[in-house]
């Protein structure tokens, strides 16, 4: 066929033909609108490695700012062959399979403590993972035979969480962070690791973070065992916990 | 069709009067049409007789044949006779004959006239096989549609326009998987003024891909494949209007197209094509469409791209009624009439949405059995893709509220480029969201009687009647000269392609059209 | 207000019954409220007497004073007495007195009781001056509003939430220039659980900027300036609900705020604040709001962020009616009631828009004199900013169709971050487009009688009545324990700030509230 | 005030605070959706000089493509002080002033030929500049006393245009190009310059291009005297023509 095929060793954005590199951008610059502002926007986008930069829209936001919508063609590409999916790796099981797996490989229920820590009061995400009801038809950990769940709710101080871990002898700690403005989640998540380490609990638990802006990569960087982002299903988390706790026991 | 709520309390007498006037206007034009043919009409005959291909200079064989006959002075008899005569004289099949003429081995006009009975038999044989061929294609399509199921209206209609048919296929497949019901392959900007149809698969075009028979075939095959995957029938659209209107329709009939852009006046107004050429061509084009169950899409949306959508709303209505009458003259069933209109009012107009609702509702109610084609905002789209997306949301809402049939999806990048893959995805998901979220809104709300919407719709209809009275008085041709539609004036003797029009001779014979007309007439009784 | 079209044919008896039940439910709670006060209520008194500032450990002087009295065991008499007594004993102005206590020079409780007559006189004098002060501020605001003109409804309401009040000012100015009518400064995530109000201008907060009196002043001054430039009155909003509900309201009264988020149950449900604390605090808070012409915004939108917006729609209605009754107990005029509701139905629900219209219309018609606050889609917003923009377009359409008053603008980046400058611009331009383009749609369409919308609205109302009957039977407190609202259950004795509640002593005296009540009662007769 | 002021020597995008560098992007990659695709998108955006890259949305477009919406913080900046507005420079006059100026400085009407060339059939833009009616209340050149306008309409071949130029002895040529797909406008515009040069007409006329995607810069690069883009007002063009033709006469 007379059409360019994808070259996975150097993939580029596709607008209306392979490798045209078409990208849409929008941003605001702190200058007032006009030809000079548009030229600044063009240069900025050029400096990101774009050619054929088109400023398709510019509009004053009050006197001191201008909003731009821009299309351009990037010269950058990515070698897709060399990319490894960064994410939690675990066999994907459903509820019955997880329960079965835990029974067989661990032999007793896994004790889970969950909380939204720091000043964060968003519980819907964590509840979706823990509550019976679950998420989009996938049951939460409470409904699993082989999980014993303590959901502490929101705005929990790290020390309080640590206390509970000790009290119930938890195997797994699940923390949720939804508010990320000014990187508050990083602050909270780091605090928790510090507290768990200080109290000698870090190595005794599987430590998992979650939230819409959490990636596995970030979580690992902050000293967690895993991170789960937007759209996570309870069974994803359950499968991961089951296989990791089993590994730890080996 | 059960009476929808909301509805307009249109004055039934006015509606009847409008139709009567439009009929009178077109009757007048049809008298011209009936005595004329064009090179394009003749090439259509050639094509339907199975002649295809190009000569050494890349001239399509249908052109070679018609030019040959024309140069020899025999065109007023119609090309069918000459082909049959040649086939007998040379004992060749039509395609062999055309290739030989293409190699300049001889001229059809130099061949001696053969036995009249034999020639007549040959014509009948060729015509029968031509008609059988397109009938079979039509039936296959009708069957597929039935088997796979007709998706609910409004149909989601998207365009592909890369210039490369293979790239178009990639994008069409993606669009269908995302939910598109209709894929239109936009033609290259230059094509409508070409007095021939390019040949073969093409990979270069500007603002669109050439309409060629091979391109039709490639896309239709791709859609036939993907429609099985998605489990719903996917319609294919291309463009007829232009200098090759009937030829392209024949190609559509041969390749199983479902929709063709086909307007009785678009070529005149927007491509400066000669009036008589267009009127004659559209008639043949529509006969074939009617026969082949190809839905035509008229082009009234274009008027309000160049003239004011509020002040000139009645010109849209007027043209819709004229298009309807021309279609009826080609024995077209209302369900195959994709009557065009558009959501083009400046978004800054206070209560613009109420006008849009009134206008859209008027089209819906004036043509209750038709399949209206609703066009999205284009002229007031800007580089602000977000604003454009909001406009498209309201456009989709008006459509589901007023019960439109074909929804040409608005692209958020309308003012910027022909659609990117992602633009089409965003358009489809916008329409799906709005159509589902507001599914039954049309059965839920009633327009206040004597409210703005009711009054506005009746006002547009009244103005259309007034305009039709004027058009009837001066004649459609003079009305076009006056710049009635789209604020564009075209003169009767000017325009491209006028040299392709000729008056039928006494012995003119177009067996294919006659056969089609006979069948359609039979059906319609 | 003239009866709008479309309207719902609500069962008038049911409406009356619903109101009666809600009154009964709140009468029951009001009995508790009347005999209690809280540390926050007392700090409110301190603030209104003009005491402000912090001690060496950054503890706000109102806290210092109230803690001093509380620790000395005198709080059941009310703080007013102790301040007046202290002023006389020390011959100090209230502020001087507070500063001295802040320096731990003495405790108010250690000062000998002064001549009763003198103390009473002092109290009267301080109270009079406090009331005069907030009256003057109220009148200045009312005058400005009159002079600059009240923009048409729905008001365009945007938030700023940078954490830095000066950055907030930059963004608020930009928003006003683009057309915002109301600017809300969102509070830092941690603040509602602080049992004190931070002091001074702040430049750090998370997900919002601290509500401090100085921040109020800075923003109000900025808006006062820009509103002159744009020639229309711009309203300022902040948040009262939380552990310092009445104090923040006092600050709002002192700084000329126009709106405060103030819900009789939000703190209980969403911040796990002690029930009695919240009920008592909201009463004082609303008295001050009513007096200062501060519009309250209730928080029913939150319920359908955690529970299903269709199944639990009647809990929104129930809570609205309860909020209304609590407001009436504070002598609040309906026009200052910003009754909350929201557009939160999953966009994938078939006919979800019809539900939204029914629910929005129900709020509008149940509270015809109120100033409903309509909240945008949030929970079903995703990283697909385009889809979000389409949802916001339909949200804006429902608002203009159903005649809402306060339009909290939806942000296309709702699922991503607190608004960027450009997000706010896009939100404002979306609303302006839809409100203007569909301006009179509310007067143009009628809902089919016995159609889905009509039936749905009545169904929600019926369910609300049923729920109110139950709540009346078990009492509001038990109903909350049962998880009636937002699927959240809170226990009567638990929750933060319960230790700040105390039973008024026999000699309890709150001269400020008494003065306010007296005036409001006078007005309302 | 406790808020960062703009530093014009290095301006950056403003999301919700000065110099945060916040930019929104969207594009499609020719791979199917999943963690690997998201990682590829992230790396691509990283390679453009962004940090804190958030893939906020990814969705399959059929099986072979994925659409991404991304936010990131650019490290790039622009020195605003060094930017000169690139655009047509001419005194801005209204219709009366232009007519007056031409009378005084040139003494006879200026002859203008306009057309949309090549396969382009978009006339609305050119008509906005030439027709009486004009654009957004600003009258078109036909209404000026001192312009003599020949509007040839659309789809005009360069040779035809050249013929007209010679025939009416035009001072100015105005060409419109709206369709830009696959850079067809560049092809058309270049053809015209070639034809005018071949026919020895180029130096005799002021040659101006216009259209929504035309910039002054591009036009000059292609051998035109000026280029006018989206939102051009007839009086902008009239002012420019008047002052340039006057200059030519000096
Ligand atoms: C509902 C909501 C609220 C409710 C919360 C109710 C409750 N009990 O949770 C209320 C109204 C109380 C609220 C308040 C505020 N909110 Co809020 N809120 C939202 C909203 C609309 C939806 C969040 C949600 O429920 N999503 C649905 C769940 C299912 O998705 P999820 O959280 O992503 O969870 C999934 C995954 O991430 C993962 N997951 C999540 N946690 C965990 C944990 C583990 C261990 C694992 C394995 C997985 C996992 O699994 C879940 C299922 O797939 C979002 C906007 C949006 N549309 O996202 C804003 C939003 C999160 N809120 C925001 C803010 C700023 C606030 C406030 C600070 C505003 C204010 N100043 O008043 C307050 C204060 C809250 C506080 N102290 O934290 C911002 C955060 C901005 C940012 N990026 O920093 C958002 C994005 C809105 C915005 N654009 O401004 N909010
Ligand atoms: C109206 C319209 C049409 C009408 C044109 C009618 C007519 N007589 O002009 C019709 C329906 C015929 C049409 C057809 C096509 N169109 Co068209 N059309 C548009 C539309 C909706 C509006 C254009 C317009 O009128 N704008 C208003 C005018 C006032 O703005 P303007 O042109 O920018 O002009 C201003 C300035 O640019 C400047 N200016 C312009 N020219 C000049 C010249 C000079 C000398 C100066 C000084 C200044 C100047 O001044 C003007 C006033 O400020 C645009 C989409 C859009 N919203 O922009 C698509 C658009 C331009 N069309 C497009 C296409 C592809 C086509 C077709 C090729 C599609 C097809 N295959 O069928 C056809 C073929 C046309 C052809 N052969 O060229 C594409 C172009 C894509 C691209 N970037 O390449 C667009 C962007 C739509 C899209 N997204 O696909 N179209
Ligand atoms: C009826 C009709 N035919 C044809 C076309 C397109 O034709 P062309 O290829 O000439 O641009 C249109 C354009 O919108 C149309 O409305
Ligand atoms: C009534 C009411 N009060 C207060 C708030 C916010 O309070 P906080 O600062 O506790 O997040 C909300 C949030 O939406 C609310 O609805």
């Amino acid at each position: 066929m007379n059409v360019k095929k994808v070259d996975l060793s150097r993939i580029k954005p596709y607008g209306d033909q392979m490798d045209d590199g078409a990208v849409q951008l929008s941003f605001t610059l702190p200058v007032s609108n006009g030809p000079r502002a548009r030229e600044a926007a063009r240069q900025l986008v050029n400096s990101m490695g774009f050619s054929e930069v088109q400023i398709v829209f510019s509009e004053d936001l009050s006197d001191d700012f201008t909003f731009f919508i821009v299309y351009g063609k990037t010269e950058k590409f990515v070698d897709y062959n060399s990319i490894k999916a960064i994410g939690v790796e675990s066999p994907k099981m459903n509820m019955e399979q997880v329960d079965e797996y835990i029974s067989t490989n661990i032999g007793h229920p896994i004790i889970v403590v969950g909380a939204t820590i720091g000043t964060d009061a968003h519980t819907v995400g964590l509840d979706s993972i823990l509550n019976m009801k679950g998420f989009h038809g996938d049951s939460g950990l409470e409904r699993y035979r082989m999980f014993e769940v303590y959901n502490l709710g929101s705005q929990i101080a790290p020390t309080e969480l640590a206390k509970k871990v000790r009290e119930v002898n938890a195997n797994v700690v699940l923390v949720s962070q939804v508010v990320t403005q000014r990187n508050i989640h990083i602050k909270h998540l780091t605090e928790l690791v510090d507290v768990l380490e200080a109290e000698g609990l870090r190595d005794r638990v599987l430590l998992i973070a979650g939230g819409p802006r959490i990636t596995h990569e970030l979580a690992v960087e902050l000293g967690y065992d895993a991170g789960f982002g937007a759209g996570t299903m309870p069974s994803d988390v359950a499968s991961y916990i089951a296989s990791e706790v089993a590994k730890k026991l080996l | 069709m059960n009476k929808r709520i909301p509805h307009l309390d249109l004055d039934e007498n006015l509606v009847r009067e409008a139709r009567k006037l439009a009929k009178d206007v077109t009757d007048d034009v049809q008298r011209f049409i009936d005595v004329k043919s064009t090179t394009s009409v003749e090439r259509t005959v050639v094509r339907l007789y199975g002649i295809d291909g190009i000569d050494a200079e890349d001239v399509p064989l249908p052109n070679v044949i018609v030019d040959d006959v024309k140069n020899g002075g025999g065109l007023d008899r119609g090309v069918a006779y000459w082909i049959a005569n040649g086939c007998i004289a040379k004992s060749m099949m039509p395609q062999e004959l055309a290739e030989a003429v293409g190699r300049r081995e001889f001229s059809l006009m130099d061949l001696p006239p053969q036995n009249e009975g034999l020639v007549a038999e040959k014509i009948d044989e060729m015509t029968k096989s031509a008609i059988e061929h397109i009938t079979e294609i039509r039936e296959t399509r009708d069957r597929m549609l039935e088997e796979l199921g007709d998706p609910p209206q409004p149909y989601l209609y998207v365009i592909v326009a890369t210039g490369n048919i293979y790239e178009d296929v990639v994008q069409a497949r993606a669009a269908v998987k995302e939910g598109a019901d209709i894929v239109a392959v936009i033609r290259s900007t230059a094509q409508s003024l070409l007095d021939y149809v390019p040949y073969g698969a093409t990979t270069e075009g500007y603002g669109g891909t050439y309409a060629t028979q091979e391109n039709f075939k490639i896309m239709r095959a791709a859609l036939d494949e993907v429609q099985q995957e998605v489990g719903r029938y996917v319609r294919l659209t291309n463009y007829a209007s232009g200098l090759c209107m009937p030829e392209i329709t024949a190609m559509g009939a041969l390749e199983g197209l479902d929709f063709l852009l086909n307007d009785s006046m678009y070529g005149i107004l927007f491509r400066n094509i000669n009036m008589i050429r267009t009127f004659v061509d559209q008639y043949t084009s529509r006969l074939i469409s009617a026969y082949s169950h190809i839905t035509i899409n008229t082009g009234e949306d274009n008027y309000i791209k160049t003239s004011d959508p509020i002040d000139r709303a009645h010109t849209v209505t007027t043209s819709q009624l004229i298009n309807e009458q021309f279609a009826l003259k080609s024995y077209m069933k209302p369900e195959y009439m994709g009557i065009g209109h558009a959501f083009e009012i400046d978004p800054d107009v206070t209560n613009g949405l109420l006008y849009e609702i009134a206008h859209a509702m008027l089209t819906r109610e004036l043509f209750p059995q038709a399949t209206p084609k609703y066009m999205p905002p284009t002229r007031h789209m800007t580089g602000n893709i977000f604003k454009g997306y909001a406009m498209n949301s309201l456009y989709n809402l008006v459509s589901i509220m007023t019960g439109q049939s074909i929804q040409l999806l608005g692209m958020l990048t309308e003012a910027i480029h022909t659609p990117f893959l992602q633009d089409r995805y965003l358009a489809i998901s916008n329409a799906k969201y709005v159509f589902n979220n507001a599914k039954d809104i049309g059965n839920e709300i009633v327009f206040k009687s004597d409210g703005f919407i009711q009054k506005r719709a009746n006002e547009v209809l009244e103005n259309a009647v007034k305009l039709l009275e004027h058009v009837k008085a001066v004649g459609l041709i003079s009305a076009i000269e006056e710049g009635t539609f789209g604020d564009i004036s075209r003169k009767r003797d000017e325009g491209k392609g006028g040299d392709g029009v000729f008056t039928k001779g006494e012995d003119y014979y177009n067996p294919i059209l006659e056969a089609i007309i006979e069948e359609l007439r039979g059906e319609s009784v």
Side-chain angles (χ1 to χ4, degrees), chain A, chain B:
Chain A
M1 279 222 308
N2 211 326
V3 60
K4 200 170 163 191
K5 287 258 176 55
V6 58
D7 172 359
L8 289 179
S9 74
R10 28 183 308 148
I11 60 167
K12 287 182 79 172
Y14 180 112
D16 73 346
Q17 58 183 343
M18 192 59 76
D19 292 341
D20 58 19
V23 174
Q24 173 269 326
L25 301 93
S26 77
F27 53 83
T28 301
L29 288 180
V31 292
S32 64
N33 198 2
R36 240 180 114 195
R38 278 190 294 274
E39 177 57 17
R42 202 186 57 73
Q43 289 189 15
L44 182 73
V45 177
N46 268 335
S47 76
M48 297 170 186
F50 284 90
S51 61
E52 297 188 36
V53 174
Q54 292 181 37
I55 310 293
V56 297
F57 182 71
S58 68
E59 176 86 3
D60 269 320
L61 312 186
S62 82
D63 330 312
D64 312 321
F65 297 94
T66 305
F67 174 52
F68 298 94
I69 300 176
V70 181
Y71 280 80
K73 308 207 153 173
T74 184
E75 286 143 15
K76 311 285 179 186
F77 56 86
V78 168
D79 176 2
Y80 198 63
N81 295 323
S82 77
I83 289 179
K84 277 189 266 319
I86 303 185
V88 174
E89 270 169 59
S90 70
K92 174 77 189 133
M93 300 178 271
N94 65 22
M95 181 166 75
E96 290 69 35
Q97 293 167 325
V98 168
D99 277 339
E100 180 57 36
Y101 183 94
I102 299 177
S103 296
T104 315
N105 296 286
I106 304 174
H108 60 82
I110 299 178
I111 300 165
V112 173
V113 171
T116 302
I117 59 170
T119 53
D120 202 323
H122 293 85
T123 52
V124 178
L126 183 68
D127 287 347
S128 309
I129 304 297
L130 297 182
N131 287 5
M132 294 267 175
K133 199 170 144 193
F135 191 58
H136 286 302
D138 193 49
S139 296
L141 270 54
E142 284 177 0
R143 199 182 293 281
Y144 286 63
R145 217 175 7 99
M146 299 303 287
F147 283 116
E148 192 179 317
V149 176
Y150 297 86
N151 183 346
L152 306 188
S154 74
Q155 299 192 319
I156 300 302
T159 45
E160 208 178 319
L161 180 58
K163 215 175 103 197
K164 193 76 183 181
V165 168
R166 199 181 293 282
E167 183 189 316
V168 302
N169 214 346
N171 309 108
V172 186
V173 175
L174 291 176
V175 286
S176 182
Q177 284 290 279
V178 174
V179 178
T180 58
Q181 215 201 16
R182 309 266 183 268
N183 286 325
I184 180 82
H185 60 307
I186 302 205
K187 190 168 157 253
H188 288 154
L189 290 172
T190 311
E191 263 169 37
L192 177 63
V193 173
D194 291 349
V195 167
L196 291 177
E197 263 165 11
E199 302 205 8
L201 292 169
R202 175 64 191 90
D203 297 334
R204 280 172 40 190
V205 296
L206 188 66
L207 184 59
I208 303 176
R213 302 283 154 252
I214 302 293
T215 59
H216 180 59
E217 220 184 353
L218 175 75
V220 169
E221 203 181 300
L222 297 176
Y224 286 65
D225 292 305
F228 289 86
T232 305
M233 289 292 168
S235 56
D236 297 338
V237 184
S239 304
Y240 170 77
I241 293 176
S243 75
E244 286 303 303
V245 172
K247 268 190 223 157
K248 278 210 168 188
L249 290 183
L250 293 184
Chain B
M1 215 190 196
N2 47 15
K3 189 137 194 167
R4 288 177 58 94
I5 291 162
H7 64 270
L8 303 167
D9 299 321
L10 290 183
D11 178 339
E12 292 295 329
N13 288 326
L14 211 57
V15 172
R16 248 191 309 276
E17 195 183 332
R19 281 222 153 69
K20 177 72 181 60
L21 286 165
K23 181 165 185 315
D24 294 346
V25 164
T26 53
D27 281 350
D28 194 33
V29 179
Q30 190 68 29
R31 274 188 285 275
F32 283 84
I33 295 173
D34 286 338
V35 299
K36 307 265 180 195
S37 180
T38 71
T39 43
S40 178
V41 168
E42 299 308 314
R43 296 196 300 258
T44 304
V45 173
V46 177
R47 285 187 182 271
L48 287 173
Y49 282 156
I51 293 172
D52 195 10
I54 46 179
D55 72 6
E57 272 99 53
D58 286 350
V59 182
L61 294 181
N63 288 62
V64 169
I65 294 293
V66 170
D67 289 350
D68 178 62
V69 173
K70 191 182 181 189
N71 295 338
L75 205 53
D76 62 349
R77 197 171 178 172
V79 77
Y81 166 80
W82 300 107
I83 295 176
N85 190 64
C87 285
I88 289 169
K90 289 284 179 184
S91 289
M92 284 175 165
M93 300 292 289
Q95 177 69 17
E96 286 174 87
L97 185 79
E99 285 172 8
V101 176
R103 287 188 300 273
R104 305 297 180 266
E105 291 173 13
F106 52 81
S107 161
L108 292 184
M109 304 302 295
D110 296 340
L111 301 176
Q114 306 293 307
N115 173 297
E116 290 217 356
L118 282 180
V119 173
E121 218 173 76
K122 184 79 202 166
I123 291 183
D124 285 354
E125 176 207 317
M126 292 193 310
T127 303
K128 191 160 165 267
S129 114
I131 297 286
E132 271 174 15
H133 188 41
I134 60 174
T135 308
E136 194 192 306
I137 289 160
R138 174 185 80 194
E139 283 168 359
T140 310
R141 286 293 133 197
D142 285 349
R143 208 179 320 115
M144 274 188 183
L145 179 61
E146 182 139 344
E147 281 168 16
L148 282 160
D150 200 8
Q153 295 183 358
Y155 301 132
L156 308 191
Y157 177 127
V158 297
I159 64 167
V160 293
T162 68
N164 178 338
I165 188 65
Y166 301 105
E167 199 85 55
D168 284 345
V169 162
V170 170
Q171 300 188 16
R173 281 183 56 87
V176 171
K177 295 224 167 168
E178 291 151 20
D181 300 314
I182 307 179
V183 172
V185 182
I186 303 294
R187 274 191 310 206
S188 176
T189 52
Q191 184 170 1
S192 52
L193 297 183
L194 299 181
D195 210 348
Y196 64 90
V197 185
Y199 179 78
T202 65
T203 56
E204 230 177 58
Y206 297 98
T209 305
Y210 286 99
T212 73
Q213 196 170 335
E214 184 62 20
N215 287 350
F216 286 8
K217 195 192 292 288
I218 290 168
M219 184 57 87
R220 188 62 268 181
L223 295 183
D224 281 353
E225 196 187 300
V226 68
Q227 73 190 5
Q228 297 294 345
E229 292 178 44
V230 298
R232 64 176 194 281
Y233 187 75
V234 179
R235 290 177 164 88
L236 174 58
T237 304
N238 213 295
Y239 290 68
S241 355
L243 279 175
C244 300
M245 201 161 179
E247 281 186 87
I248 291 186
T249 310
M251 288 159 40
L254 291 168
E255 299 302 337
L257 265 71
D258 305 278
F259 279 27
L260 281 172
L261 281 260
N262 172 320
D263 188 283
S264 55
M265 302 189 281
Y266 172 86
I268 305 167
L269 299 167
F270 294 95
R271 287 294 174 266
N272 195 14
I273 292 175
N274 176 271
M275 286 194 201
I276 310 301
R277 171 74 180 252
T278 294
F279 284 132
V280 175
D281 282 353
Q282 63 85 28
Y283 177 55
T284 297
S285 168
R286 286 180 178 194
L287 282 167
I288 299 170
S289 283
Y291 187 83
S292 289
H293 296 178
I294 293 174
T295 299
I296 61 167
N297 287 189
T298 66
E300 285 80 4
D301 57 282
N302 296 289
Y303 303 168
I304 50 176
K305 282 195 167 70
T306 50
S307 72
D308 189 84
I310 294 179
D311 297 348
R312 309 294 292 169
H314 61 291
T315 66
V316 169
T317 312
T318 301
S319 171
Q320 290 172 333
L321 289 160
I322 291 174
N323 261 311
E324 179 189 41
Q325 290 304 321
F326 274 127
L328 288 172
K329 288 193 164 35
S330 303
Y331 310 96
M332 183 167 273
K333 295 210 190 95
E335 62 196 281
Y336 295 110
M337 299 181 195
I339 300 288
H341 60 132
F343 182 102
E344 283 285 14
I345 296 169
D346 186 334
D348 290 343
V349 169
T350 302
N351 284 323
L353 198 75
L354 302 189
Y355 283 96
E356 296 284 14
I357 293 172
H359 297 176
M361 204 62 218
L362 177 59
T363 298
R364 177 67 282 180
E365 278 201 34
L366 261 189
F367 306 98
Q369 255 107 60
T371 305
K373 179 195 66 161
Y374 198 24
M375 298 283 289
T378 65
R379 66 188 283 195
H380 292 290
M381 295 291 281
T382 65
N384 186 346
I385 55 176
F386 298 100
K387 171 93 179 261
Y389 207 64
M391 288 164 62
N392 287 334
S393 306
L394 294 198
Y395 161 64
N396 289 331
L397 189 76
V398 171
S399 179
I400 190 78
M401 183 187 280
T402 60
Q404 303 301 321
S405 297
I406 304 169
Q407 184 78 349
L408 205 138
L409 297 187
M411 294 291 143
L412 78 172
T413 52
E414 169 62 29
I416 307 168
H417 47 236
T418 48
F420 284 179
L421 207 62
Q422 66 207 46
D423 301 341
R424 228 177 268 113
Y425 156 74
L426 289 170
I428 292 170
S429 60
N430 190 327
K432 277 182 162 175
Y433 160 54
V434 175
F435 289 174
N436 178 56
N437 204 235
K439 188 155 182 277
D440 294 312
I441 197 166
N443 292 314
E444 197 46 46
I445 62 176
V446 179
F447 301 131
K448 207 166 110 180
S449 56
D450 257 340
F452 180 86
I453 291 174
Q454 295 275 5
K455 281 201 208 128
R456 173 64 189 165
N458 276 293
E459 179 189 39
V460 174
L461 181 58
E462 279 160 31
N463 288 338
V465 167
K466 276 184 221 145
L467 180 56
L468 279 163
E469 280 164 356
H470 171 75
V471 175
K472 183 182 167 186
V474 300
L476 182 56
I477 292 179
S478 302
I480 293 174
E481 291 188 323
E482 290 169 1
T484 300
F485 303 105
D487 286 356
I488 296 161
S489 153
R490 299 295 185 193
K491 300 295 165 213
R492 72 182 65 206
D493 301 323
E494 294 177 3
K496 291 149 191 155
D499 53 350
V501 182
F502 64 94
T503 304
K504 296 176 183 171
E506 297 239 312
D507 48 1
Y508 179 83
Y509 188 34
N510 189 329
I512 297 231
L513 284 204
E514 284 187 13
I516 285 178
I517 290 172
E518 199 177 322
E519 282 226 29
L520 288 171
R521 221 184 243 147
E523 273 178 42
S524 72
V525 207

